Amino acid sequence: MLINDLPRFEILDEAAMNELERGWRRIVSDLGIEFLHPEALKYFEDAGQQVEGELVRFDPDWILEQVAKAPSEFDLQARNPEKTIHVGGKHMAFSAVYGCPFVREGLERRDATYDDFQNLVKLAQAFPQLDSPGGTICEPNDKPLDSRHLDMVYALLTLSDKPFMGSVTSGPNAADTIAMAEMVFGRESLEQTPAIISLINVNSPLRYDDRMLSALIEYAKAGQATIVTPFLLMGAMSPVSIPATLAQQVGEALAGIALVQTIRPGCPVVFGSFLSNTDMQSGSPSFGTPESAVGLFCTGQIARHYALPFRGGGALTSSQVVDAQAGYESMMSLWPTFLAGTNFVMHSAGWLESALVSCYEKFVVDVEMLRMLHEVFKPLVIDEEALAYSAHQEVGPGGHFLGAVHTLERFRECFYRPLVSSTENYERWNRLGGRDAATRATEIWKKTLEEYETPPIEPDLEVELKAYVDRRRTELGD
Amino acid sequence: MLINDLPRFEILDEAAMNELERGWRRIVSDLGIEFLHPEALKYFEDAGQQVEGELVRFDPDWILEQVAKAPSEFDLQARNPEKTIHVGGKHMAFSAVYGCPFVREGLERRDATYDDFQNLVKLAQAFPQLDSPGGTICEPNDKPLDSRHLDMVYALLTLSDKPFMGSVTSGPNAADTIAMAEMVFGRESLEQTPAIISLINVNSPLRYDDRMLSALIEYAKAGQATIVTPFLLMGAMSPVSIPATLAQQVGEALAGIALVQTIRPGCPVVFGSFLSNTDMQSGSPSFGTPESAVGLFCTGQIARHYALPFRGGGALTSSQVVDAQAGYESMMSLWPTFLAGTNFVMHSAGWLESALVSCYEKFVVDVEMLRMLHEVFKPLVIDEEALAYSAHQEVGPGGHFLGAVHTLERFRECFYRPLVSSTENYERWNRLGGRDAATRATEIWKKTLEEYETPPIEPDLEVELKAYVDRRRTELGD
C-alpha cells in the first residue's frame, strides 16, 4: 500500500482551527444530536450526557475524552496476511466504489446484478492499486433483499483476499458479517485485530438512524472498525458554507466516535468525511467540485488534530458517461485526496454518475489515475546517481539521450507506464480505430476479468461459508 | 488575475537543493553550453566567461551574480490597463495554448488557418480566466511563412486587449513585434514597463540556437520580458532522471537569464520550464505524466530559491481527442501548476494531442478546469458569519437546508457554477440528447464567439498597425 511521505497540504491556521472548535462545541452542546436507538441513548445517559427523548446534548470535553481512547492507527486484517493494511499515519488505503444501484458497461446502463458484483470484486482483487474491494461495490438487485448481504460478504471473502467492508443495513446483518469473518479469521484473531471495516453514515443533519446505529453497536462490541461519516451535501444536509459544514462534520463524527469508544474503549474507528455540495440550479448532488476539494484539505487537518485516521475523497464525478468531465472531476477529487494524506479512500475506482452507477470502464480509468498519483506521492531521491552526470558527459550539447548508455540501462523502468492512456501519434491512433480512453478501457477490464485468478481458499472454509449463507437465507425467509 | 494565497507544495529538502546546485554548477562549468550566435558569444567573452568556438564554459558564481539583477516580480502592460498583469510573487497568469500546427473542431482535425487563429484569440479574450491569449495560439498556415508573424501580432493587438506574446522566429520578427507594440504603448512607456513577453526555448541539451538567441537579444535590448525555457522531454533532451533533468534545467535556464542580464541589467525575465518525459515504448512525448508533476513542484521551489518568477505547467495531455484521458491528464498537470504557484502558465487552454492540435472544445473544457481551480486556490475565511450557526438553529436535527433563510439568501453565489460540467440526472440528460462534455463544449465556444465583442481601439491606431503589416509584408517579399 501507499505510504505518502510527501508533505500534507494544510490551509487552516490556528485561528481558523479555533473557530471550528468553537463551532462544533456549540452544535453538540446547545443543539444536540439525535440518536434513534435506545441502546445508544442508554450509553450516553449512563455516561452523564443530557438525553431528552432521542436528542442528546453533549459535554464537548466528554466527547474529546472518549475520542482520545481511539487508536490513531490500526491494522486491518486481510484473508491473505500479505494484504493486511494499516489504517492511519502516512498510510493510504484505496477501496472501490460503494453503494451503486446501477452499472454501466460500455454504452449500456442497467440495474446492477450479482454477476456485476462478482465481476467488480474480481477487478478490485486484480488491480494492486486497490487495497480493498470495499463492500457494496454495486447493489445485487437480482438477489433477495433481506439476504443479499450474505451473498455480498460471501463474494467479498471468496473472490478477494483483501480486507473488506461489512454490511450496515441492520444490526443482525452486521452480526452475519462478523459470524462469517469469524469463520475465516477465528474469533480470537478477530478480537485482537479487526478484519472488517464498515461505513456508518450519519443521517445528517444531526441525526443517527436506527439501522446504522444498530450496525455500529454490533461492530463496536466485536472490536471491528467503523468509518463514522457525516453525509454532507452542502445546501441540503448542511449550510451553504464550508466552515459551517466542517463544524457540523466534526460534531457529528466525534459524537459517533465517542459512542464507539463508550461501547468499547480503544475500538478502531475512522473519522469519515463525505462532503460535497448541491448544484443549486438543478438541486442535484455535485461531485468533484472545488468546494469538496477545500473540504478535504480541511478534513485531513482536522482529523490529524484529533489524532484520528480519516476517510474522504475518491474518484468522484457527476458525469453520466466516461467523458472528459468524468476524467477531470475525478482528478479534481483525487488530487486533494492524496494531498490531504487520506488514510482510507472509498470510491477510488468505478464511481460514475454521482454514485448511482458502478461503471466497468470508469473502474479502469480510475485505476490509471491511482497508478499515476501513487507515482507522484513517493519521495524523490536526489543524489549523485540520480544526477546522472555520466549521461550528460556522454551526450553533450545538442545531442540526444535516447541512445545514451544511462538511458539504455533504464528505459524499461525509468518512467510511469500507462494502463489505458495513449501517446500514439494521430496517424497510428486513427489507423488502429481512433478509440477514445473509454473504448480502450473496455478491452482492459475484459482482459483483466479473463486473466483473473481466484485467490486460494481452504475448500472446507468455502463450504462452511456457503452453508452459513444458505442457512441464514432460509432463516430470513428468502 | 489569481493571487494564490494558499501554501506552496514543496518536496525538496536542503540536502536535495544542495545536490541540484552541485549538479548544475558542474554542467555549466565543465561541460558548458553552446550559443549559436556571435553576439551572444561576444557578451559572454567580454564578461570573462570561457568561450571556445560556440561553447561557453561558465563561472557559476558569475551566472548567479547576473541572475540576481533580474527582478523577482514585474508588471506586464496590457492595451487595456485594467488587464495589465503582474508576473511573480503570489500572482498566477494564464495564457492559451501555443505553437500548434493543427486545429480540432468537433470531429474534424485539419491544418490551422488564420481564421482559427483569430477565433482562438477571441476565445482567450472572452474568458476572464485567461490573462493573455499567449502568442502563436495556432499556426496560421494559410498566411505566407515569412510575414505571418505580422498577422499574428496584429490579431493579438486588435482582437484582444490583454498582454500578448511576441514573435521569436527571428531577430527581425522580434523587432517587428516591438515596433508594433511601440505604436500601441509608446516607446517610453514600453521601455519603462514591458508589454511583450516572449518564449525563448533552449534547444536542449545545452544549446541555444541562432533564431532564439537573435530574438532574445532583440527583446532584452528593448527591455521586453522573455521566458527562458529549457525544452526537456526526459529520455530525448535530458537523461531519464528527474534530478538530472532539473540540474540541466537550472543550468540552461540560468545561463540564458544571465545573458539577458548582461545585455540589459534588470530586464524582466522568467525562469521557464517545459519538462515532461518520452514514452519509452512509443518514443512519443508524453504529457500530464507523474514525472512532469514532480518536476513542476521542484521547479517552483528552485525558481523561488533564485528569486525568479517562473513559468511551467498548463492543461497538457497526449490524448488525441477530448475524452477522459484529456480530462484527467490535463488535471494531472493543472493541479501541480497551481500547487507550485506557477507565475506564468502557458498552454492553459486549448492544448490537445501533445500540442500538435489547438482544439476548440478542449479550450472550453480547460477553462472549466481553470475556473474550478481558481475557486480552490483562494483563502477560506472561517469566522462567526461563515459558521452560519443560525442556519443550524433554524434547521435542527433531521431537517433540510434547501429552504433555510441562510441558504435562500446565498443560493445564487454560494457555490461554484460550472460552465460545461453537467449534474443533470440521467433521465433528463438522456432526454436532452445524452451529450458528453466535448459535445456540450462545442455549443459553448460557438456561443462565446457569437457573443464576442471586439475590445475598443483607436481607429487611427488600427490603421497604423495595418499599414505596418502591409508595408513589412511587401518588404519581406510575401
Side-chain angles (χ1 to χ4, degrees), chain A residues 100-287:
Chain A
C100 311
F102 303 103
V103 291
R104 177 177 279 271
E105 180 186 334
L107 298 176
E108 190 193 4
R109 180 189 190 269
R110 52 178 161 74
D111 279 0
T113 65
Y114 191 55
D115 269 352
D116 294 311
F117 187 95
Q118 292 174 306
N119 283 340
L120 292 164
V121 171
K122 288 176 183 177
L123 289 179
Q125 170 71 8
F127 288 111
Q129 287 71 31
L130 289 168
D131 299 290
S132 164
T136 313
I137 198 163
C138 68
E139 195 67 36
N141 294 295
D142 53 343
K143 288 283 183 182
L145 188 61
D146 285 342
S147 61
R148 66 173 62 150
H149 65 285
L150 300 163
D151 301 300
M152 289 194 270
V153 173
Y154 180 78
L156 290 163
L157 281 172
T158 55
L159 299 177
S160 169
D161 60 2
K162 298 177 177 179
F164 75 105
M165 298 181 70
S167 175
V168 292
T169 34
S170 73
N173 293 2
D176 281 332
T177 308
I178 295 165
M180 291 173 77
E182 280 180 357
M183 293 174 192
V184 175
F185 297 93
R187 177 180 285 243
E188 203 178 322
S189 166
L190 204 62
E191 284 273 334
Q192 274 170 9
T193 309
I196 311 168
I197 189 164
S198 303
L199 175 66
I200 303 297
N201 278 329
V202 184
N203 194 348
S204 305
L206 306 178
R207 177 182 282 168
Y208 280 74
D209 72 20
D210 170 61
R211 285 176 162 255
M212 284 285 168
L213 281 172
S214 59
L216 176 148
I217 291 166
E218 204 67 50
Y219 285 122
K221 285 179 176 170
Q224 300 307 297
T226 46
I227 307 172
V228 177
T229 307
F231 192 95
L232 298 170
L233 295 169
M234 293 186 279
M237 297 82 150
S238 73
V240 294
S241 154
I242 297 174
T245 301
L246 289 171
Q248 181 182 336
Q249 177 179 263
V250 175
E252 290 181 349
L254 293 191
I257 291 169
L259 175 59
V260 171
Q261 297 307 313
T262 308
I263 297 170
R264 181 167 171 145
C267 184
V269 59
V270 174
F271 184 110
S273 174
F274 185 85
L275 191 172
S276 197
N277 54 286
T278 307
D279 180 327
M280 301 306 278
Q281 288 170 289
S282 68
S284 301
S286 191
F287 292 100

Side-chain angles (χ1 to χ4, degrees), chain B residues 104-154:
Chain B
R104 178 178 277 273
E105 181 186 333
L107 298 176
E108 189 193 5
R109 179 189 191 269
R110 53 180 160 74
D111 279 358
T113 65
Y114 191 55
D115 269 352
D116 294 313
F117 188 96
Q118 292 174 305
N119 283 339
L120 291 164
V121 171
K122 288 176 182 176
L123 290 179
Q125 170 71 9
F127 288 111
Q129 287 71 32
L130 289 169
D131 299 290
S132 164
T136 313
I137 197 162
C138 68
E139 195 66 36
N141 293 294
D142 54 343
K143 288 284 183 182
L145 188 61
D146 287 341
S147 61
R148 67 172 63 148
H149 65 285
L150 300 163
D151 302 301
M152 290 194 269
V153 173
Y154 180 77

Side-chain angles (χ1 to χ4, degrees), chain A residues 6-7 9-12 16 19-20 22-23 26-27 30-32 34 55 104 109 205-207 234-244 247-248 277-282 284-286 288 290-291 293-294 297-298 318 320-325 327-329 331-332 335-336 339 353 365 368-369 372 375-377 380-384 386-389 391-393 395-402 406-407 410-411 414-417 420-424 426 429 436-437 440, chain B residues 6-7 9-12 16 19-20 22-23 26-27 30-32 34 55 104 109 205-207 234-244 247-248 277-282 284-286 288 290-291 293-294 297-298 318 320-325 327-329 331-332 335-336 339 353 365 368-369 372 375-377 380-384 386-389 391-393 395-402 406-407 410-411 414-417 420-424 426 429 436-437 440:
Chain A
L6 264 53
F9 194 70
E10 302 197 330
I11 66 172
L12 300 176
E19 278 297 280
L20 289 178
R22 201 168 62 81
R26 175 169 56 181
I27 290 171
D30 295 357
L31 295 181
E34 287 182 359
L55 186 72
R104 177 177 279 271
R109 180 189 190 269
L206 306 178
R207 177 182 282 168
M234 293 186 279
M237 297 82 150
S238 73
V240 294
S241 154
I242 297 174
Q248 181 182 336
N277 54 286
T278 307
D279 180 327
M280 301 306 278
Q281 288 170 289
S282 68
S284 301
S286 191
E291 290 81 6
V294 172
F297 297 146
C298 298
S318 296
Q320 302 83 1
V321 280
V322 185
D323 62 352
Q325 180 184 341
Y328 66 69
E329 284 186 338
M331 269 294 187
M332 187 73 187
W335 264 96
L339 287 165
E353 211 188 287
V365 164
E368 177 82 288
M369 293 190 233
M372 291 168 83
E375 200 64 24
V376 170
F377 283 82
L380 179 67
V381 177
I382 304 196
D383 57 13
E384 179 60 18
L387 286 177
Y389 188 56
H392 282 304
Q393 287 179 305
V395 173
H400 210 287
F401 287 85
L402 273 179
H406 179 269
T407 304
R410 288 163 180 81
F411 77 97
C414 57
F415 299 134
Y416 175 78
R417 290 203 165 194
V420 67
S421 302
S422 163
T423 63
E424 284 165 345
Y426 180 73
W429 174 81
D436 69 3
R440 295 191 302 270
Chain B
L6 264 54
F9 194 70
E10 301 197 332
I11 66 172
L12 300 176
E19 278 296 280
L20 289 177
R22 201 168 61 81
R26 175 169 57 181
I27 289 171
D30 294 359
L31 296 180
E34 287 181 0
L55 187 73
R104 178 178 277 273
R109 179 189 191 269
L206 307 178
R207 178 182 281 168
M234 293 188 279
M237 296 81 149
S238 73
V240 293
S241 155
I242 297 173
Q248 181 183 336
N277 54 285
T278 307
D279 180 327
M280 300 307 277
Q281 288 170 289
S282 68
S284 302
S286 192
E291 290 81 7
V294 172
F297 296 146
C298 298
S318 296
Q320 302 83 1
V321 281
V322 185
D323 62 352
Q325 179 183 341
Y328 65 70
E329 285 186 337
M331 269 294 187
M332 187 71 186
W335 265 96
L339 287 165
E353 211 188 288
V365 164
E368 176 83 285
M369 294 189 231
M372 291 168 83
E375 200 65 25
V376 170
F377 283 82
L380 179 67
V381 177
I382 304 197
D383 57 14
E384 178 61 19
L387 286 176
Y389 188 57
H392 282 303
Q393 286 178 304
V395 173
H400 210 286
F401 288 85
L402 274 179
H406 179 268
T407 304
R410 287 163 183 80
F411 77 98
C414 57
F415 299 133
Y416 175 78
R417 292 206 164 191
V420 67
S421 302
S422 163
T423 63
E424 283 165 347
Y426 181 72
W429 173 81
D436 69 3
R440 295 191 301 270

Side-chain angles (χ1 to χ4, degrees), chain B residues 151-232:
Chain B
D151 302 301
M152 290 194 269
V153 173
Y154 180 77
L156 291 163
L157 281 172
T158 54
L159 299 178
S160 169
D161 59 3
K162 298 177 178 180
F164 75 106
M165 297 180 70
S167 175
V168 292
T169 34
S170 73
N173 293 1
D176 281 332
T177 308
I178 295 164
M180 291 173 77
E182 279 179 357
M183 294 173 192
V184 175
F185 298 93
R187 178 180 285 243
E188 202 177 324
S189 166
L190 204 62
E191 283 275 333
Q192 275 171 8
T193 308
I196 311 169
I197 189 164
S198 303
L199 174 66
I200 303 297
N201 277 329
V202 185
N203 194 348
S204 306
L206 307 178
R207 178 182 281 168
Y208 280 75
D209 73 19
D210 169 62
R211 284 176 163 254
M212 285 286 169
L213 282 173
S214 59
L216 177 147
I217 292 167
E218 204 68 49
Y219 285 122
K221 285 179 177 170
Q224 300 307 297
T226 46
I227 307 172
V228 178
T229 307
F231 192 94
L232 299 171

Side-chain angles (χ1 to χ4, degrees), chain B residues 241-422:
Chain B
S241 155
I242 297 173
T245 301
L246 289 171
Q248 181 183 336
Q249 177 178 265
V250 176
E252 290 180 350
L254 293 192
I257 291 168
L259 175 59
V260 171
Q261 297 308 312
T262 308
I263 297 169
R264 181 169 170 144
C267 184
V269 60
V270 174
F271 183 110
S273 175
F274 185 84
L275 193 172
S276 196
N277 54 285
T278 307
D279 180 327
M280 300 307 277
Q281 288 170 289
S282 68
S284 302
S286 192
F287 292 101
T289 66
E291 290 81 7
S292 62
V294 172
L296 195 42
F297 296 146
C298 298
T299 298
Q301 197 171 345
I302 291 165
R304 279 187 289 278
H305 178 72
Y306 299 112
L308 292 167
F310 79 105
R311 168 244 161 163
L316 315 184
T317 178
S318 296
S319 188
Q320 302 83 1
V321 281
V322 185
D323 62 352
Q325 179 183 341
Y328 65 70
E329 285 186 337
S330 297
M331 269 294 187
M332 187 71 186
S333 58
L334 279 175
W335 265 96
T337 302
F338 280 76
L339 287 165
T342 311
N343 301 120
F344 196 88
V345 185
M346 293 179 65
H347 310 304
S348 306
W351 166 301
L352 197 66
E353 211 188 288
S354 302
L356 286 174
V357 170
S358 295
C359 173
Y360 287 88
E361 284 75 22
K362 181 70 167 18
F363 202 105
V364 170
V365 164
D366 290 341
V367 167
E368 176 83 285
M369 294 189 231
L370 291 176
R371 291 168 85 240
M372 291 168 83
L373 286 164
H374 273 69
E375 200 65 25
V376 170
F377 283 82
K378 46 181 216 195
L380 179 67
V381 177
I382 304 197
D383 57 14
E384 178 61 19
E385 196 198 329
L387 286 176
Y389 188 57
S390 65
H392 282 303
Q393 286 178 304
E394 180 183 347
V395 173
H400 210 286
F401 288 85
L402 274 179
V405 174
H406 179 268
T407 304
L408 293 175
E409 284 172 357
R410 287 163 183 80
F411 77 98
R412 280 182 209 285
E413 304 295 332
C414 57
F415 299 133
Y416 175 78
R417 292 206 164 191
L419 173 71
V420 67
S421 302
S422 163

Side-chain angles (χ1 to χ4, degrees), chain A residues 23-60:
Chain A
W24 76 261
R25 283 175 173 262
R26 175 169 56 181
I27 290 171
V28 299
S29 59
D30 295 357
L31 295 181
I33 300 178
E34 287 182 359
F35 286 79
L36 311 189
H37 195 286
E39 203 175 339
L41 294 168
K42 180 77 165 54
Y43 278 113
F44 288 131
E45 198 154 32
D46 290 351
Q49 303 310 297
Q50 194 185 321
V51 178
E52 276 178 41
E54 292 173 321
L55 186 72
V56 186
R57 288 198 179 82
F58 290 93
D59 170 3

